[in-house]
Amino acid sequence: MGKRSGATPFYNIDGYAAYDMNTHSGYMQIIRNGVIELYSTQLFFNQDIQGKPIDCISGDHTYKSIFESISDSLKVLYQFNVEEPFLISVYFYNMKNIYFCFQDGSMRVINYPAISLPFVTLPAYNSDLRLALKPLFDILWQCAGMAQCSY
């Protein structure tokens, strides 16, 4: 993650981390017990609609960012010889009145201050990550009023 985002990787008391010193927009922390915490503010953007700035999150960008971050994190865990299986969950904070933007240009407001998606199990490194994450993304899309994720 550090190499992809330009973040500076370093060891710390909790384990190993990468922090974006330039933009302060995110970090990755691998805790000694194998837990990985990823944080990013780069999923959010402002969009001007009829002269009014609207806080938005792109479904497409969010899906790709989370998928790539988890995929990259698994590669790091593999380098550190962390044994499978893995539990994966995703949390979103400050989501009240954020507009969820879809590929077709439509938008739906999210009315939840925080979204805590349930844990899913990834049995092994070579498991189908897209299939494992599908329930999480379906719930995220449902928070915006859709039946399921479009991926």
Side-chain angles (χ1 to χ4, degrees):
M1 181 175 170
K3 289 180 182 177
R4 188 179 82 213
S5 68
T8 303
F10 56 92
Y11 289 91
N12 62 21
I13 194 166
D14 295 316
Y16 186 75
Y19 179 73
D20 190 330
M21 303 289 196
N22 296 320
T23 65
H24 307 286
S25 61
Y27 68 85
M28 173 192 71
Q29 172 70 55
I30 301 174
I31 301 170
R32 294 182 190 284
N33 64 3
V35 170
I36 292 184
E37 180 177 276
L38 301 168
Y39 170 82
S40 177
T41 61
Q42 294 181 339
L43 299 177
F44 301 94
F45 63 95
N46 279 325
Q47 184 168 331
D48 192 50
I49 302 207
Q50 297 177 349
K52 181 181 174 188
I54 303 288
D55 293 324
C56 300
I57 185 170
S58 161
D60 184 50
H61 180 68
T62 300
Y63 177 89
K64 288 176 183 173
S65 293
I66 291 172
F67 184 86
E68 287 174 7
S69 293
I70 292 172
S71 180
D72 290 349
S73 297
L74 288 168
K75 291 172 187 168
V76 172
L77 290 175
Y78 185 79
Q79 289 176 345
F80 283 104
N81 297 316
V82 176
E83 292 184 29
E84 28 253 317
F86 305 100
L87 291 176
I88 300 170
S89 185
V90 178
Y91 298 87
F92 292 89
Y93 297 99
N94 300 321
M95 295 295 288
K96 185 90 170 150
N97 297 320
I98 299 289
Y99 281 81
F100 195 91
C101 301
F102 298 96
Q103 283 182 316
D104 66 2
S106 65
M107 298 171 19
R108 299 228 180 151
V109 70
I110 295 175
N111 285 314
Y112 305 97
I115 300 170
S116 175
L117 300 177
F119 284 95
V120 294
T121 301
L122 187 69
Y125 283 104
N126 63 353
S127 299
D128 185 341
L129 187 57
R130 291 187 193 282
L131 184 62
L133 295 178
K134 177 89 167 94
L136 297 182
F137 288 113
D138 284 346
I139 294 170
L140 180 59
W141 260 243
Q142 290 163 0
C143 289
M146 303 301 287
Q148 64 184 12
C149 173
S150 55
Y151 296 96

